[in-house]
Amino acid sequence: MKISFWQQFSSNHSASFTVVGVFENRDQAYKAWAELKQILETIEKWHLENPEKSDAWYKAWEDDGWPNIPSEIEVELGKQYGVQWTTGIDWYSQADITIALDHIILLGTEYHCEGRPHPFDRLMEKLGGLGMMVGSDTGGVFGEIMFDVSCDAPDKSTADLIEREQASRDKKVTRFKNHLSFEWEYARVGFDLWEFIPYLKSHNCRRISYYLQGKNYVETKRIFLDGEEKN
């Protein structure tokens, strides 16, 4: 299984994000992964088969900045899945969708993009998972994700080693005898959950457990108290 990581670079409206879907089991995750790929392929197919409409949609972006409107196919998909699809995406052909730890879906892009991640967090939920996201654009933050992991180290010396190494990586480490708990923010430490679990296993830790806690932000339009924007 390939797990990919990406770095994005800002443009005027560029977004950097990861959408995460947590599913109860492997079968649900792989079924949702296949359906998400199909959704993105459907959007790409519409652009390829409707060049005039696609060009007009992209021209609105060039003329007025990124259009806060979905394409026709995205409107249809929104109705089909029962999600509010409020803005179009330009990353439909560049999406990177992978599965980690058998039941966690990671969706992002391999380049900077203008389109935002919405509504793919809601699509994760419509497909049976728990959707959350992390990232931002020039307008604000999309969300936050915290990892919480605990385990029992096999002995004191191993617990000492793990505690020392992980504290140096800016993780919050809590310890009681040989029981260790860790907490950190996604994409901040540089050693993510899908790498961390094998790390603990390589140190013969037992009773390994983890959960993800997500906070998604709802964005409003900018409000000026005097009623007009000042340059």
Side-chain angles (χ1 to χ4, degrees), residues 104-117:
I104 298 175
I105 294 179
L106 309 174
L107 185 154
T109 64
E110 297 178 339
Y111 78 122
H112 68 272
C113 55
E114 304 294 329
R116 298 178 179 184

Side-chain angles (χ1 to χ4, degrees), residues 29-183:
Y30 275 82
K31 182 179 178 181
W33 173 84
E35 194 153 353
L36 288 166
K37 286 182 67 69
Q38 182 62 50
I39 289 170
L40 292 167
E41 289 170 1
T42 299
I43 297 172
E44 181 177 16
K45 182 179 178 182
W46 179 88
H47 281 278
L48 292 173
E49 294 182 351
N50 298 274
E52 292 184 0
K53 292 181 179 180
S54 179
D55 289 346
W57 184 76
Y58 275 107
K59 191 171 189 306
W61 169 20
E62 296 173 0
D63 292 344
D64 303 320
W66 182 252
N68 191 27
I69 54 172
S71 61
E72 286 183 8
I73 188 59
E74 289 166 315
V75 171
E76 292 179 16
L77 288 167
K79 293 177 180 178
Q80 178 182 338
Y81 287 94
V83 298
Q84 188 177 11
W85 207 307
T86 58
T87 184
I89 63 170
D90 63 326
W91 46 267
Y92 48 84
S93 63
Q94 298 290 332
D96 186 14
I97 311 177
T98 58
I99 296 180
L101 301 177
D102 274 342
H103 66 278
I104 298 175
I105 294 179
L106 309 174
L107 185 154
T109 64
E110 297 178 339
Y111 78 122
H112 68 272
C113 55
E114 304 294 329
R116 298 178 179 184
H118 314 291
F120 281 82
D121 56 329
R122 295 287 295 123
L123 284 170
M124 295 285 189
E125 296 179 355
K126 291 294 182 177
L127 296 174
L130 176 64
M132 55 188 74
M133 65 179 73
V134 62
S136 64
D137 67 1
T138 54
V141 178
F142 297 132
E144 297 174 348
I145 300 176
M146 295 295 297
F147 295 141
D148 189 295
V149 181
S150 65
C151 72
D152 290 339
D155 50 56
K156 181 180 182 300
S157 61
T158 304
D160 291 342
L161 172 65
I162 294 173
E163 181 181 22
R164 183 171 60 253
E165 288 183 348
Q166 298 314 306
S168 70
R169 294 175 179 269
D170 294 328
K171 285 186 175 69
K172 178 183 177 182
V173 183
T174 305
R175 179 177 175 183
F176 177 72
K177 296 184 178 179
N178 292 339
H179 180 76
L180 298 164
S181 297
F182 312 89
E183 183 178 314

Side-chain angles (χ1 to χ4, degrees), residues 156-220:
K156 181 180 182 300
S157 61
T158 304
D160 291 342
L161 172 65
I162 294 173
E163 181 181 22
R164 183 171 60 253
E165 288 183 348
Q166 298 314 306
S168 70
R169 294 175 179 269
D170 294 328
K171 285 186 175 69
K172 178 183 177 182
V173 183
T174 305
R175 179 177 175 183
F176 177 72
K177 296 184 178 179
N178 292 339
H179 180 76
L180 298 164
S181 297
F182 312 89
E183 183 178 314
W184 72 99
E185 184 179 344
Y186 182 96
R188 183 176 179 182
V189 175
F191 194 46
D192 288 316
L193 183 66
W194 16 98
E195 296 174 286
F196 190 56
I197 300 301
Y199 163 86
L200 294 177
K201 289 181 177 179
S202 71
H203 286 81
N204 298 316
C205 292
R206 297 174 292 108
R207 298 181 62 195
I208 300 172
S209 66
Y210 62 90
Y211 70 87
L212 285 67
Q213 181 178 4
K215 176 182 178 182
N216 290 350
Y217 291 84
V218 178
E219 182 181 351
T220 67

